Coordinates of all heavy atoms in Angstrom, one line a residue:
M1 N -13.5 -1.1 -19.8 CA -12.3 -0.2 -19.3 C -11.8 -0.6 -18.0 O -12.5 -1.1 -17.2 CB -12.9 1.3 -19.2 CG -11.7 2.3 -19.4 SD -10.8 2.3 -20.9 CE -9.5 3.3 -20.4
S2 N -10.5 -0.4 -17.8 CA -9.9 -0.8 -16.6 C -10.3 0.2 -15.5 O -10.6 1.4 -15.7 CB -8.4 -0.9 -16.7 OG -7.9 0.4 -16.9
R3 N -10.4 -0.4 -14.2 CA -10.8 0.5 -13.2 C -9.6 1.0 -12.4 O -8.6 0.4 -12.3 CB -11.8 -0.1 -12.2 CG -11.1 -1.2 -11.4 CD -12.2 -2.1 -10.7 NE -11.4 -3.1 -9.9 CZ -11.3 -3.0 -8.6 NH1 -11.6 -2.0 -7.9 NH2 -10.6 -4.0 -8.0
D4 N -9.6 2.3 -12.0 CA -8.5 2.8 -11.2 C -8.6 2.3 -9.8 O -9.7 2.3 -9.2 CB -8.5 4.4 -11.3 CG -8.2 4.9 -12.6 OD1 -7.4 4.2 -13.3 OD2 -8.7 5.9 -13.0
A5 N -7.5 2.2 -9.2 CA -7.5 1.8 -7.7 C -7.9 3.2 -7.0 O -7.4 4.2 -7.1 CB -6.2 1.3 -7.3
S6 N -8.8 2.9 -6.1 CA -9.2 4.1 -5.2 C -8.8 3.9 -3.8 O -8.3 2.9 -3.5 CB -10.8 4.3 -5.2 OG -11.4 3.3 -4.6
L7 N -8.9 4.9 -3.0 CA -8.5 4.8 -1.6 C -9.4 3.7 -0.9 O -8.8 3.0 -0.1 CB -8.6 6.1 -0.9 CG -7.5 7.2 -1.1 CD1 -7.8 8.5 -0.4 CD2 -6.2 6.5 -0.6
S8 N -10.6 3.6 -1.2 CA -11.5 2.8 -0.5 C -11.1 1.3 -1.0 O -11.2 0.4 -0.1 CB -12.9 3.0 -0.9 OG -13.2 3.0 -2.3
D9 N -10.7 1.2 -2.2 CA -10.2 -0.1 -2.6 C -9.0 -0.5 -1.9 O -8.8 -1.7 -1.4 CB -9.9 -0.2 -4.1 CG -11.2 -0.3 -4.9 OD1 -12.2 -0.6 -4.4 OD2 -11.0 0.2 -6.2
Y10 N -8.1 0.4 -1.7 CA -6.8 0.1 -1.0 C -7.1 -0.3 0.4 O -6.6 -1.2 1.0 CB -6.0 1.4 -1.0 CG -4.6 1.2 -0.3 CD1 -3.6 0.5 -0.9 CD2 -4.4 1.7 1.0 CE1 -2.4 0.4 -0.3 CE2 -3.3 1.5 1.7 CZ -2.2 0.9 1.1 OH -1.1 0.7 1.6
A11 N -8.0 0.5 1.2 CA -8.4 0.1 2.5 C -9.1 -1.2 2.6 O -8.8 -1.9 3.5 CB -9.2 1.2 3.0
A12 N -9.9 -1.5 1.6 CA -10.6 -2.8 1.7 C -9.7 -3.9 1.5 O -9.8 -4.9 2.0 CB -11.7 -2.7 0.6
T13 N -8.6 -3.8 0.6 CA -7.7 -4.9 0.4 C -6.6 -5.0 1.4 O -6.0 -6.0 1.4 CB -7.1 -4.7 -1.1 OG1 -6.5 -3.5 -1.2 CG2 -8.2 -4.9 -2.2
D14 N -6.4 -4.0 2.2 CA -5.3 -3.9 3.1 C -5.8 -3.5 4.5 O -5.4 -2.5 5.1 CB -4.3 -2.9 2.6 CG -3.0 -3.1 3.4 OD1 -2.8 -4.1 4.1 OD2 -2.1 -2.2 3.4
S15 N -6.8 -4.2 4.9 CA -7.6 -3.7 6.1 C -7.1 -4.2 7.3 O -7.4 -3.7 8.5 CB -9.1 -4.2 6.0 OG -9.0 -5.6 6.0
D16 N -6.0 -5.0 7.3 CA -5.5 -5.5 8.7 C -4.5 -4.5 9.2 O -3.3 -4.4 8.7 CB -4.9 -6.9 8.5 CG -3.9 -7.0 7.3 OD1 -3.9 -6.0 6.4 OD2 -3.1 -7.9 7.2
G17 N -4.9 -3.8 10.2 CA -4.0 -2.8 10.9 C -3.7 -1.5 10.1 O -2.9 -0.8 10.4
D18 N -4.5 -1.3 9.1 CA -4.2 -0.2 8.4 C -4.8 1.2 8.8 O -4.6 2.3 8.5 CB -4.7 -0.4 6.9 CG -4.0 0.6 5.9 OD1 -2.8 0.7 6.0 OD2 -4.8 1.2 5.0
D19 N -5.9 1.0 9.7 CA -6.6 2.1 10.3 C -5.7 3.2 10.9 O -5.8 4.3 10.7 CB -7.6 1.7 11.3 CG -8.8 1.0 10.5 OD1 -8.9 1.2 9.3 OD2 -9.6 0.3 11.2
E20 N -4.7 2.7 11.7 CA -3.8 3.6 12.4 C -3.1 4.5 11.4 O -2.9 5.7 11.7 CB -2.8 2.8 13.2 CG -3.1 2.7 14.7 CD -2.1 1.9 15.5 OE1 -2.2 0.7 15.6 OE2 -1.1 2.5 15.9
R21 N -2.4 3.9 10.4 CA -1.8 4.7 9.5 C -2.6 5.7 8.8 O -2.2 6.9 8.6 CB -1.1 3.8 8.4 CG -0.1 4.6 7.5 CD 0.8 3.7 6.8 NE -0.1 2.7 6.0 CZ 0.5 1.8 5.1 NH1 1.8 1.7 5.1 NH2 -0.3 1.0 4.5
E22 N -3.8 5.4 8.5 CA -4.8 6.4 7.8 C -5.1 7.5 8.8 O -5.1 8.6 8.4 CB -6.0 5.6 7.4 CG -5.8 4.8 6.2 CD -7.2 4.3 5.6 OE1 -8.2 4.8 6.0 OE2 -7.1 3.3 4.8
A23 N -5.3 7.2 10.0 CA -5.6 8.2 11.0 C -4.4 9.2 11.1 O -4.5 10.4 11.2 CB -5.9 7.7 12.3
A24 N -3.2 8.6 11.2 CA -2.0 9.5 11.3 C -1.9 10.5 10.2 O -1.5 11.6 10.3 CB -0.7 8.7 11.5
T25 N -2.0 9.8 9.0 CA -2.0 10.7 7.8 C -2.9 11.8 7.7 O -2.7 12.9 7.4 CB -2.2 9.8 6.5 OG1 -1.2 8.7 6.5 CG2 -1.9 10.6 5.3
D26 N -4.2 11.4 8.2 CA -5.2 12.5 8.2 C -4.8 13.6 9.2 O -5.0 14.8 8.8 CB -6.4 11.8 8.9 CG -7.7 12.3 8.0 OD1 -7.5 12.7 6.9 OD2 -8.8 12.2 8.6
D27 N -4.2 13.3 10.3 CA -3.9 14.4 11.3 C -2.8 15.3 10.7 O -2.9 16.5 10.8 CB -3.3 13.8 12.6 CG -4.4 13.2 13.5 OD1 -5.5 13.5 13.1 OD2 -4.1 12.4 14.4
A28 N -1.8 14.7 10.0 CA -0.8 15.5 9.4 C -1.3 16.5 8.4 O -0.9 17.6 8.2 CB 0.3 14.6 8.9
A29 N -2.2 16.0 7.6 CA -2.8 16.8 6.6 C -3.6 18.0 7.1 O -3.7 19.0 6.6 CB -3.8 15.8 5.7
D30 N -4.3 17.7 8.3 CA -5.1 18.7 8.8 C -4.3 19.9 9.5 O -4.5 21.0 9.3 CB -6.0 18.2 10.0 CG -7.0 17.4 9.4 OD1 -7.5 17.5 8.2 OD2 -7.7 16.6 10.2
D31 N -3.1 19.5 10.1 CA -2.3 20.5 10.8 C -0.8 20.0 10.8 O -0.3 19.5 11.7 CB -2.8 20.7 12.3 CG -2.1 21.9 12.9 OD1 -1.3 22.5 12.3 OD2 -2.4 22.1 14.0
P32 N -0.2 20.4 9.7 CA 1.2 19.9 9.5 C 2.3 20.4 10.6 O 3.3 19.8 10.8 CB 1.6 20.5 8.1 CG 0.7 21.5 7.8 CD -0.6 21.2 8.5
D33 N 1.9 21.6 11.2 CA 2.8 22.1 12.2 C 2.6 21.5 13.6 O 3.4 21.7 14.5 CB 2.6 23.6 12.3 CG 3.1 24.3 11.1 OD1 4.0 23.9 10.4 OD2 2.5 25.4 10.8
A34 N 1.5 20.7 13.7 CA 1.3 20.2 15.1 C 2.3 19.1 15.5 O 2.5 18.2 14.7 CB -0.2 19.6 15.1
A35 N 2.7 19.2 16.7 CA 3.6 18.1 17.2 C 2.7 17.0 17.6 O 1.5 17.2 17.9 CB 4.3 18.6 18.4
P36 N 3.2 15.7 17.5 CA 2.4 14.6 18.1 C 2.0 14.8 19.5 O 2.7 15.2 20.3 CB 3.5 13.5 18.1 CG 4.5 13.9 17.0 CD 4.6 15.4 17.1
E37 N 0.7 14.6 19.7 CA 0.1 14.9 21.0 C 0.1 13.7 21.9 O -0.1 12.6 21.5 CB -1.2 15.4 20.9 CG -1.3 16.8 20.3 CD -2.7 17.3 20.2 OE1 -3.5 17.1 21.1 OE2 -3.0 18.1 19.3
L38 N 0.5 13.9 23.2 CA 0.4 12.8 24.1 C -0.6 13.3 25.1 O -0.5 14.3 25.8 CB 1.7 12.6 24.8 CG 2.8 12.2 23.9 CD1 4.2 12.1 24.6 CD2 2.6 10.8 23.2
D39 N -1.8 12.5 25.3 CA -2.8 12.9 26.2 C -2.3 12.9 27.6 O -1.6 11.9 28.1 CB -4.0 11.9 26.0 CG -4.7 12.2 24.7 OD1 -4.5 13.3 24.1 OD2 -5.4 11.3 24.2
G40 N -2.6 13.9 28.4 CA -2.3 14.0 29.8 C -0.8 14.4 30.0 O -0.4 14.4 31.1
V41 N -0.1 14.6 28.9 CA 1.3 15.1 29.2 C 1.5 16.6 28.9 O 1.1 17.1 27.9 CB 2.3 14.3 28.3 CG1 3.7 14.8 28.4 CG2 2.2 12.8 28.6
D42 N 2.1 17.3 29.8 CA 2.4 18.8 29.7 C 3.7 18.9 28.9 O 4.7 18.5 29.5 CB 2.5 19.4 31.0 CG 2.7 20.9 30.8 OD1 2.8 21.4 29.7 OD2 2.7 21.6 31.8
P43 N 3.6 19.3 27.6 CA 4.9 19.4 26.9 C 5.9 20.5 27.3 O 7.0 20.5 27.0 CB 4.4 19.7 25.5 CG 3.1 20.4 25.7 CD 2.5 19.8 27.0
A44 N 5.4 21.4 28.3 CA 6.3 22.5 28.6 C 7.3 22.1 29.7 O 8.2 22.8 30.0 CB 5.4 23.7 29.2
Q45 N 7.1 21.0 30.4 CA 8.0 20.6 31.4 C 8.6 19.2 31.2 O 7.9 18.2 31.2 CB 7.2 20.5 32.7 CG 8.1 20.4 33.9 CD 7.3 20.5 35.2 OE1 6.4 19.7 35.4 NE2 7.8 21.3 36.1
A46 N 9.9 19.3 30.9 CA 10.6 18.1 30.7 C 10.8 17.3 31.9 O 10.9 17.8 33.0 CB 12.0 18.3 30.0
T47 N 10.8 16.0 31.8 CA 11.0 15.2 33.1 C 12.4 14.7 33.1 O 12.9 14.1 34.1 CB 10.1 13.9 33.1 OG1 10.3 13.2 31.9 CG2 8.7 14.4 33.1
Y48 N 13.2 14.9 32.2 CA 14.6 14.4 32.1 C 15.5 15.5 31.3 O 15.0 16.1 30.3 CB 14.6 13.1 31.3 CG 15.9 12.5 30.9 CD1 16.6 11.8 31.8 CD2 16.5 12.7 29.7 CE1 17.9 11.2 31.6 CE2 17.7 12.2 29.4 CZ 18.4 11.5 30.3 OH 19.6 10.9 30.0
A49 N 16.6 15.7 31.8 CA 17.5 16.6 31.1 C 18.9 16.2 31.0 O 19.4 15.4 31.9 CB 17.7 17.9 32.0
W50 N 19.5 16.2 29.7 CA 20.6 15.7 29.4 C 21.7 16.8 29.1 O 21.3 17.6 28.1 CB 20.6 14.7 28.3 CG 21.8 14.3 27.7 CD1 22.5 14.8 26.6 CD2 22.7 13.2 28.1 NE1 23.8 14.2 26.4 CE2 23.9 13.3 27.3 CE3 22.6 12.3 29.2 CZ2 24.9 12.3 27.6 CZ3 23.6 11.5 29.4 CH2 24.8 11.4 28.7
V51 N 22.8 17.0 29.7 CA 23.7 18.0 29.4 C 25.0 17.3 29.3 O 25.7 16.7 30.2 CB 23.9 19.0 30.7 CG1 24.8 20.0 30.3 CG2 22.5 19.5 31.0
P52 N 25.5 17.4 28.0 CA 26.8 16.6 27.7 C 28.0 17.1 28.5 O 28.8 16.1 28.9 CB 27.0 17.0 26.3 CG 25.7 17.4 25.7 CD 24.9 18.0 26.8
D53 N 28.1 18.2 28.9 CA 29.3 18.7 29.7 C 29.0 18.6 31.2 O 29.9 18.8 32.0 CB 29.6 20.1 29.4 CG 30.2 20.3 28.0 OD1 30.7 19.3 27.4 OD2 29.9 21.3 27.5
G54 N 27.8 18.2 31.5 CA 27.4 17.9 33.0 C 26.9 19.3 33.6 O 27.2 20.3 33.2
A55 N 25.9 19.0 34.6 CA 25.4 20.1 35.3 C 25.1 19.7 36.7 O 25.1 18.5 37.0 CB 24.0 20.5 34.5
A56 N 25.1 20.8 37.6 CA 25.0 20.4 39.0 C 23.6 20.0 39.3 O 22.6 20.5 38.9 CB 25.3 21.7 39.7
C57 N 23.5 18.9 40.1 CA 22.3 18.5 40.7 C 21.8 19.6 41.7 O 22.6 20.1 42.4 CB 22.6 17.1 41.5 SG 21.1 16.7 42.6
D58 N 20.4 19.8 41.6 CA 19.9 20.9 42.4 C 19.9 20.5 43.9 O 19.8 21.4 44.8 CB 18.5 21.2 42.0 CG 18.4 21.9 40.7 OD1 19.5 22.5 40.3 OD2 17.4 21.9 40.0
R59 N 20.1 19.2 44.2 CA 20.1 18.8 45.6 C 21.4 18.5 46.2 O 21.6 19.0 47.4 CB 19.2 17.5 45.7 CG 18.6 17.3 47.1 CD 17.2 16.5 47.0 NE 16.2 17.2 46.3 CZ 15.0 16.7 45.9 NH1 14.9 15.4 46.0 NH2 14.2 17.4 45.3
C60 N 22.3 17.8 45.6 CA 23.5 17.5 46.2 C 24.7 18.2 45.5 O 25.8 18.1 46.0 CB 23.8 16.0 46.3 SG 24.1 15.3 44.6
A61 N 24.5 19.0 44.5 CA 25.4 19.7 43.7 C 26.5 18.8 43.0 O 27.4 19.3 42.6 CB 26.2 20.7 44.6
A62 N 26.2 17.6 42.9 CA 27.1 16.7 42.2 C 27.0 17.1 40.7 O 25.9 17.4 40.2 CB 26.8 15.3 42.3
T63 N 28.1 17.0 39.9 CA 28.0 17.3 38.4 C 27.7 16.0 37.7 O 28.4 15.0 37.8 CB 29.3 17.9 37.9 OG1 29.6 19.1 38.6 CG2 29.2 18.2 36.5
V64 N 26.6 16.0 37.1 CA 26.1 14.8 36.2 C 25.6 15.3 35.0 O 25.2 16.4 34.8 CB 25.0 14.1 37.1 CG1 25.5 13.6 38.4 CG2 23.8 15.1 37.3
T65 N 25.6 14.3 34.0 CA 25.2 14.6 32.7 C 23.6 14.4 32.5 O 22.9 15.1 31.8 CB 25.9 13.8 31.7 OG1 25.7 12.5 32.0 CG2 27.4 14.1 31.6
A66 N 23.2 13.6 33.3 CA 21.6 13.3 33.2 C 21.0 13.7 34.6 O 21.4 13.1 35.6 CB 21.4 11.8 32.9
R67 N 19.9 14.4 34.4 CA 19.1 14.8 35.7 C 17.7 14.5 35.3 O 17.1 14.7 34.3 CB 19.4 16.3 36.0 CG 20.8 16.6 36.5 CD 21.1 18.0 36.6 NE 20.8 18.7 35.5 CZ 20.7 20.1 35.4 NH1 20.7 20.8 36.4 NH2 20.4 20.7 34.2
W68 N 17.1 14.3 36.5 CA 15.6 14.1 36.3 C 14.8 15.1 37.1 O 15.4 15.6 38.1 CB 15.2 12.6 37.0 CG 15.6 11.6 36.0 CD1 14.8 10.9 35.1 CD2 16.9 11.0 35.8 NE1 15.6 9.9 34.4 CE2 16.8 9.9 34.9 CE3 18.1 11.2 36.5 CZ2 17.9 9.2 34.5 CZ3 19.2 10.4 36.1 CH2 19.2 9.4 35.1
R69 N 13.6 15.4 36.7 CA 12.8 16.4 37.5 C 12.2 15.7 38.7 O 11.6 14.6 38.6 CB 11.7 16.9 36.5 CG 10.9 18.1 37.3 CD 10.2 18.9 36.3 NE 11.1 19.7 35.4 CZ 11.7 20.8 35.7 NH1 11.5 21.3 36.9 NH2 12.4 21.3 34.7
D70 N 12.4 16.4 39.8 CA 11.8 16.0 41.0 C 11.2 17.1 41.7 O 11.8 18.0 42.2 CB 12.9 15.2 41.9 CG 12.2 14.5 43.1 OD1 11.0 14.0 43.0 OD2 12.8 14.4 44.2
G71 N 9.9 17.4 41.5 CA 9.2 18.5 42.0 C 9.7 19.7 41.2 O 9.6 19.6 39.9
D72 N 10.2 20.7 41.7 CA 10.8 21.9 40.8 C 12.3 21.7 40.6 O 12.9 22.6 39.9 CB 10.6 23.2 41.7 CG 9.1 23.6 41.7 OD1 8.4 23.2 40.7 OD2 8.6 24.2 42.6
D73 N 12.9 20.7 41.1 CA 14.4 20.6 41.0 C 14.8 19.5 39.9 O 13.9 18.6 39.6 CB 14.9 20.0 42.3 CG 14.7 21.0 43.4 OD1 14.7 22.2 43.1 OD2 14.7 20.6 44.6
L74 N 15.9 19.8 39.3 CA 16.5 18.7 38.4 C 17.6 18.1 39.3 O 18.5 18.8 39.7 CB 17.2 19.4 37.1 CG 16.1 19.7 36.2 CD1 16.7 20.6 35.1 CD2 15.4 18.5 35.5
V75 N 17.5 16.8 39.5 CA 18.3 16.1 40.5 C 19.0 14.9 39.7 O 18.6 14.4 38.7 CB 17.5 15.6 41.6 CG1 16.9 16.8 42.4 CG2 16.5 14.6 41.3
C76 N 20.1 14.5 40.4 CA 20.8 13.3 39.8 C 20.1 12.0 40.1 O 19.1 12.0 40.9 CB 22.2 13.3 40.4 SG 22.4 12.9 42.1
A77 N 20.6 11.0 39.5 CA 19.9 9.7 39.8 C 19.9 9.3 41.2 O 18.9 8.7 41.8 CB 20.6 8.6 38.9
D78 N 20.9 9.7 42.1 CA 21.0 9.2 43.5 C 20.0 10.0 44.3 O 19.5 9.6 45.3 CB 22.4 9.6 44.1 CG 23.5 8.6 43.5 OD1 23.1 7.6 43.0 OD2 24.6 8.9 43.5
C79 N 19.6 11.3 43.9 CA 18.7 12.1 44.6 C 17.2 11.9 44.1 O 16.3 12.2 44.9 CB 19.1 13.6 44.5 SG 20.7 14.0 45.2
K80 N 17.1 11.4 43.0 CA 15.8 11.3 42.4 C 15.0 10.3 43.3 O 15.5 9.1 43.6 CB 15.8 10.7 41.0 CG 14.5 10.3 40.5 CD 13.6 11.5 40.1 CE 12.3 11.0 39.4 NZ 11.2 11.9 39.7
D81 N 13.8 10.7 43.7 CA 13.0 9.8 44.6 C 12.2 8.9 43.6 O 11.1 9.2 43.1 CB 12.0 10.7 45.4 CG 11.2 9.8 46.4 OD1 11.6 8.6 46.6 OD2 10.3 10.3 46.9
W82 N 12.8 7.8 43.3 CA 12.1 6.9 42.4 C 10.9 6.2 43.0 O 10.1 5.7 42.6 CB 13.1 5.7 41.9 CG 14.3 6.3 41.3 CD1 15.6 6.4 41.9 CD2 14.4 6.8 40.0 NE1 16.4 7.0 40.9 CE2 15.9 7.2 39.9 CE3 13.6 7.0 38.9 CZ2 16.3 7.8 38.6 CZ3 14.0 7.6 37.8 CH2 15.4 7.9 37.7
Ligands
ZN101 ZN1 22.1 14.7 43.6

């Protein structure tokens, strides 16, 4: 009788770099609502803000579309302490 392909057969025949994809699939199955996690990153605070119509820089009041977080402020590229 013919044998059915199993997951272990698939992994064995496609073992080059396949571990990552299996791990990701596993996470999604465990908790489908979970967002991808980034270790050491606080998801509550964005480091970058894009406003299509422009918004005032917290430091120089210039109207810009892209601002970066610098401390508690959202500042323009000129004010950002890179
Ligand atoms: Zn500024």
Side-chain angles (χ1 to χ4, degrees):
M1 198 64 192
S2 68
R3 68 190 182 97
D4 292 329
S6 69
L7 280 177
S8 58
D9 286 337
Y10 181 78
T13 57
D14 191 19
S15 60
D16 50 346
D18 200 47
D19 287 347
E20 254 180 271
R21 186 167 57 180
E22 284 188 15
T25 303
D26 222 25
D27 286 346
D30 288 341
D31 192 355
D33 291 332
E37 290 183 33
L38 298 173
D39 289 339
V41 175
D42 181 358
Q45 187 174 57
T47 57
Y48 172 83
W50 170 263
V51 182
D53 293 334
C57 167
D58 285 342
R59 200 154 296 166
C60 72
T63 300
V64 293
T65 55
R67 295 174 301 167
W68 287 262
R69 183 164 296 280
D70 190 30
D72 289 333
D73 297 332
L74 283 172
V75 301
C76 70
D78 289 341
C79 293
K80 172 69 175 150
D81 185 16
W82 303 104

